[in-house]
Amino acid sequence: MRVPETDGAPVLVSADGIPAWLEPVAEAVATVRPEQLSRFLPPATGGRQSAVLVLFGEVAGPDGAPGADLLLMERSSTLRSHAGQPSFPGGALDPEDGDPQGDGPLRAALREAQEETALDPAGVQVFGVLPKLYIPVSGFVVTPVLGWWRDRTPVQVVDVGETARVFTVPVRELADPDNRGTVVHPSGYRGPCFQVRGSLVWGFTAGVIDRILHYSGWERPWDSGRRIPLDWSP
């Protein structure tokens, strides 16, 4: 299938043809409710509409069997919002993206991923959309858009002023109990985190990953009582 460019064309969302290992995620997305994903849900009015691309690629496991990896990026330390944090590619909707209540978030997720990581949207199949969630500290109303990296193309940092690093993480590493823990922010926020590829993934991104692992059946038992400091470094 062709994934749309930001030209106003309708965005097709389909799980047809995705690999068997990705089907549990598509099935979970079809039934999960907002309150099962986060305690931070969008307000009735207000909030800045945005979207992120949760992009699954295929990577061989240690036994050679196919498995998943996720595309992540590390935001520049000079940004005003979420500086230095690993995250999914994404950002606020632009007017040309279209209706925030329609397929505008899908178009925005692909556009932002292209602008931030040089991803070719034509190689991505959008197979699901999670309910809108909320990031209170920044006021973003975020739509997680799930994609299958059908035709994998090189990715890289496009603008060093916005992005410090672009990288992929095998899901098996995210699910590894040795890489998991709970982070506690001085504000009182606490939530799941992942120590992977030299980065501490926490906050909104870690919360979405945690719920995907759980509802897809990919989660392995882990110690939520293990505290990991925000200033952790490998």
Side-chain angles (χ1 to χ4, degrees):
M1 65 172 282
R2 291 285 296 178
V3 171
E5 299 176 357
T6 54
D7 58 3
V11 178
L12 176 63
V13 180
S14 173
D16 291 348
I18 64 172
W21 54 259
L22 194 53
E23 290 176 356
V25 179
E27 293 168 1
V29 170
T31 59
V32 71
R33 300 186 303 275
E35 62 272 16
Q36 292 177 303
L37 296 173
S38 174
R39 66 181 186 274
F40 301 116
L41 302 181
T45 59
R48 190 177 184 189
Q49 296 291 328
S50 62
V52 295
L53 181 63
V54 184
L55 184 60
F56 293 88
E58 183 169 290
V59 62
D63 60 356
D69 65 1
L70 277 174
L71 176 65
L72 297 176
M73 51 176 277
E74 186 175 307
R75 298 194 176 276
S76 170
S77 60
T78 60
L79 293 177
R80 289 190 303 170
S81 181
H82 307 292
Q85 278 189 244
S87 68
F88 301 118
L93 270 67
D94 285 347
E96 60 266 28
D97 293 324
D99 184 4
Q101 305 307 320
D103 58 6
L106 284 73
R107 205 172 287 112
L110 293 167
R111 174 185 55 77
E112 286 281 347
Q114 184 175 34
E115 293 175 358
E116 293 175 330
T117 73
L119 173 77
D120 183 357
V124 177
Q125 176 179 338
V126 176
F127 70 88
V129 182
L130 288 172
K132 293 179 184 292
L133 303 173
Y134 188 55
I135 304 179
V137 67
S138 58
F140 280 111
V141 175
V142 187
T143 301
V145 177
L146 278 64
W148 155 231
W149 208 349
R150 179 181 291 279
D151 297 312
R152 196 160 185 145
T153 52
V155 289
Q156 62 185 25
V157 172
V158 176
D159 182 351
V160 295
E162 291 192 1
T163 308
R165 184 164 68 114
V166 175
F167 60 106
T168 58
V169 181
V171 168
R172 68 176 182 275
E173 293 185 14
L174 293 163
D176 187 336
D178 289 340
N179 296 334
R180 304 204 58 179
T182 297
V183 70
V184 180
H185 192 274
S187 66
Y189 164 86
R190 56 178 291 173
C193 63
F194 302 84
Q195 298 167 302
V196 289
R197 301 288 157 136
S199 290
L200 181 66
V201 182
W202 65 284
F204 175 85
T205 302
V208 171
I209 293 173
D210 171 76
R211 295 296 81 194
I212 288 175
L213 293 177
H214 177 75
Y215 287 110
S216 67
W218 290 349
E219 183 178 43
R220 295 167 57 190
W222 60 284
D223 181 10
S224 61
R226 179 184 177 223
R227 300 290 188 267
I228 300 175
L230 275 175
D231 59 358
W232 174 86
S233 60

